[in-house]
Amino acid sequence: MRILSILFLVLLAVSCKSPEARRPVSQNSGSYVDESVERNKEMIAQEEDYIKQVMGENIDTEYLSSADGFWYYYNDKSTDSLNIETPEFGDVVVFDYSISSIKGESIYAEGEKPTREYAIDQEKLFTGLRQGLKLMKKGETVTFLFPSHKAFGYYGDKQKIGSNVPIMAKVTLHDIKEEPTKETNN
């Protein structure tokens, strides 16, 4: 009976132990994310080198570099000294655009995309074009060269532009309509 009592006390002591957390079978170190970041950096560098190579082949064109990570040149630049306004948040712009490959092969020809009205930074538009419109003045035509991450990125446009494709967009800004609150304050 004494052995049974000792055995009972040992079982009681072992069963009162607090539960231990289970360890995962496998542990991920985050290396997949690190590898993805490195792949994207390499892809962006290759696209930028390709764009710079194409720009180098067009020595007659004066390319400008934007602070937002794309390049552009003026087809028609405003020479009107009174035309100094560029669109700001909330302004509605009216514009046309065409899209081609960086080499100039047409993807969406001029007139294929309808004239568009866009409220600056308040509607959906691909990143590069959204940033590029803010650099333009009424009546100007500008050609932008966008790396894929500034264009349609990984998903493309689900129609004619594939995954990770750098593009060239020729944009004509027809009008800038000030945000309604600005017009009433002036």
Side-chain angles (χ1 to χ4, degrees):
M1 186 77 167
R2 188 169 223 191
I3 295 176
L4 211 48
S5 298
I6 293 173
L7 187 58
F8 178 72
L9 287 174
V10 170
L11 281 173
L12 185 63
V14 173
S15 66
C16 290
K17 186 177 171 188
S18 62
E20 286 185 28
R22 293 186 286 165
R23 302 282 175 228
V25 175
S26 66
Q27 294 180 344
N28 290 333
S29 64
S31 63
Y32 174 77
V33 173
D34 295 339
E35 291 169 10
S36 179
V37 167
E38 285 307 311
R39 272 193 312 273
N40 286 336
K41 284 181 181 178
E42 289 174 17
M43 182 185 69
I44 290 168
Q46 288 173 353
E47 286 180 9
E48 289 178 354
D49 288 344
Y50 174 64
I51 292 170
K52 288 175 184 175
Q53 176 189 348
V54 170
M55 289 188 309
E57 294 169 2
N58 300 318
I59 57 173
D60 296 335
T61 304
E62 181 185 346
Y63 290 94
L64 303 168
S65 178
S66 82
D68 294 311
F70 57 86
W71 296 265
Y72 62 101
Y73 63 90
Y74 288 92
N75 301 79
D76 295 314
K77 186 172 183 169
S78 176
T79 55
D80 183 359
S81 61
L82 299 176
N83 184 18
I84 58 171
E85 285 191 42
T86 56
E88 296 177 5
F89 179 85
D91 290 347
V92 175
V93 294
V94 180
F95 68 97
D96 286 317
Y97 70 105
S98 61
I99 296 177
S100 61
S101 71
I102 293 296
K103 285 283 194 180
E105 297 141 358
S106 181
I107 299 173
Y108 291 104
E110 288 188 42
E112 192 172 343
K113 292 267 190 191
T115 298
R116 170 114 190 244
E117 283 194 8
Y118 166 72
I120 297 291
D121 291 335
Q122 294 183 338
E123 297 177 45
K124 214 171 185 179
L125 192 64
F126 70 88
T127 306
L129 186 52
R130 189 171 62 237
Q131 294 166 336
L133 284 166
K134 293 179 201 174
L135 301 173
M136 298 179 70
K137 297 174 187 164
K138 181 179 176 180
E140 291 184 332
T141 300
V142 177
T143 299
F144 298 98
L145 288 83
F146 298 119
S148 66
H149 69 280
K150 290 291 178 180
F152 293 94
Y154 178 75
Y155 294 104
D157 76 341
K158 299 191 178 14
Q159 294 174 15
K160 293 184 177 184
I161 301 172
S163 177
N164 298 322
V165 175
I167 62 168
M168 187 182 318
K170 184 177 178 183
V171 182
T172 301
L173 183 59
H174 299 293
D175 198 9
I176 303 172
K177 301 173 188 173
E178 286 189 0
E179 182 180 23
T181 56
K182 287 183 189 175
E183 291 174 0
T184 56
N185 291 338
N186 290 336

